[in-house]
Amino acid sequence: MPTVVLIRPGCTDFDRDERIQGTLDLPLNAEGEEQVKNLVTKIENSGIETIITSSSEPALSTAEQLGETLNIPVKEKEGLKNLNQGLWQGLEFEEVRRKYPKLLKQWTESPETVCPPEGELASEAVKRVKKTLQKYLKKKQSFAIVASEPLATIIANVLRNDQTEKICFEHSGRFCQNELFEILESPAKKGDAKHVNLDDHSEKKSSQQDQGCHDEKWRFEEAK
């Protein structure tokens, strides 16, 4: 069974400013570029034979830089386009809290049931992710996926065979503080993946991962 390395892109100005990106194309900023460079040494011995990603930024730039440095082919997949968050895109998180308090509360508690104004249901994103990954999961070759949040969380749940889309809307700018990734054996059973934060000063107990919406939900972690 293949090993899947799930990677989120380097930092953008929207991450730094705590804005919602969704399907908007944004370039990596200087910090994001440095994060991608540092990531190379962490995944170069993971046995990746292919990298798949969307045609959107910053996922595409991150994937292309990794592919070029590691001499791994990169394939663009429309099904890996980030979750469309409609009219929320471009807004600061605090703006969304002020303008859509009830809808945001529902999104926080049951994101699979909520469609941001003019956006996309998480359940629809799950369907396209499953369709996109089907071919790759049947192969024995290990591969990497580069995807932006919150789609990366959806992908992780699909790979773990979770039945719900546990997406959290809070991230408080952590994207610009850590360069983290996740290694998953697929197909996996719930609880199979082991995690460790690459930031030694912010390790959390596994029980904290189930406490609802807070910053830890937006971390990406490297498996032991």
Side-chain angles (χ1 to χ4, degrees):
M1 292 179 287
T3 295
V4 183
V5 180
L6 182 56
I7 300 165
R8 57 164 308 280
C11 185
T12 70
D13 287 347
F14 266 35
D15 292 314
R16 182 195 60 202
D17 297 338
E18 297 186 22
R19 292 184 181 273
I20 298 168
Q21 178 174 331
T23 57
L24 300 177
D25 282 309
L26 288 173
L28 295 168
N29 59 20
E31 188 171 0
E33 295 280 359
E34 189 64 27
Q35 287 175 322
V36 176
K37 291 178 182 178
N38 293 335
L39 182 58
V40 170
T41 58
K42 298 172 184 177
I43 67 170
E44 60 183 351
N45 296 318
S46 58
I48 299 169
E49 298 183 57
T50 305
I51 300 174
I52 59 174
T53 187
S54 75
S55 58
S56 300
E57 299 292 356
L60 181 58
S61 291
T62 299
E64 288 180 337
Q65 290 183 40
L66 293 174
E68 181 177 359
T69 305
L70 298 173
N71 195 27
I72 299 172
V74 175
K75 298 181 179 179
E76 298 176 29
K77 299 294 178 182
E78 188 64 26
L80 297 180
K81 193 175 184 67
N82 200 15
L83 185 71
N84 185 346
Q85 296 179 66
L87 297 181
W88 291 358
Q89 296 179 169
L91 298 180
E92 294 179 355
F93 286 88
E94 289 302 323
E95 289 182 86
V96 175
R97 289 189 182 96
R98 292 195 303 268
K99 293 181 178 180
Y100 306 96
K102 292 182 180 180
L103 189 60
L104 182 58
K105 184 177 185 295
Q106 186 181 351
W107 163 275
T108 300
E109 296 173 350
S110 303
E112 70 280 4
T113 67
V114 177
C115 184
E118 300 184 21
E120 176 186 21
L121 275 168
S123 56
E124 291 300 315
V126 169
K127 292 178 183 178
R128 58 180 168 85
V129 164
K130 287 182 176 180
K131 183 177 180 180
T132 300
L133 297 184
Q134 186 176 20
K135 179 180 73 172
Y136 291 93
L137 294 177
K138 289 181 179 179
K139 298 180 179 180
K140 295 182 179 180
Q141 297 178 342
S142 296
F143 64 99
I145 307 168
V146 181
S148 298
E149 286 288 1
L151 191 75
T153 296
I154 292 175
I155 293 171
N157 290 332
V158 168
L159 292 172
R160 296 192 189 101
N161 295 325
D162 283 350
Q163 299 302 310
T164 58
E165 294 75 56
K166 300 174 184 177
I167 304 167
C168 179
F169 201 63
E170 307 283 344
H171 82 356
S172 299
R174 288 184 63 91
F175 286 175
C176 290
Q177 298 175 23
N178 299 291
E179 179 52 53
L180 303 170
F181 67 100
E182 187 171 13
I183 299 177
L184 298 168
E185 295 291 337
S186 181
K189 296 178 180 179
K190 290 183 179 180
D192 281 353
K194 298 179 180 179
H195 304 287
V196 59
N197 192 340
L198 296 182
D199 183 352
D200 293 335
H201 300 291
S202 58
E203 287 191 15
K204 304 292 180 181
K205 295 181 180 180
S206 60
S207 61
Q208 288 180 304
Q209 296 177 353
D210 296 321
Q211 291 179 353
C213 271
H214 38 70
D215 293 346
E216 287 69 40
K217 286 290 187 179
W218 285 79
R219 280 188 324 200
F220 257 57
E221 302 168 320
E222 179 187 18
K224 289 182 179 179

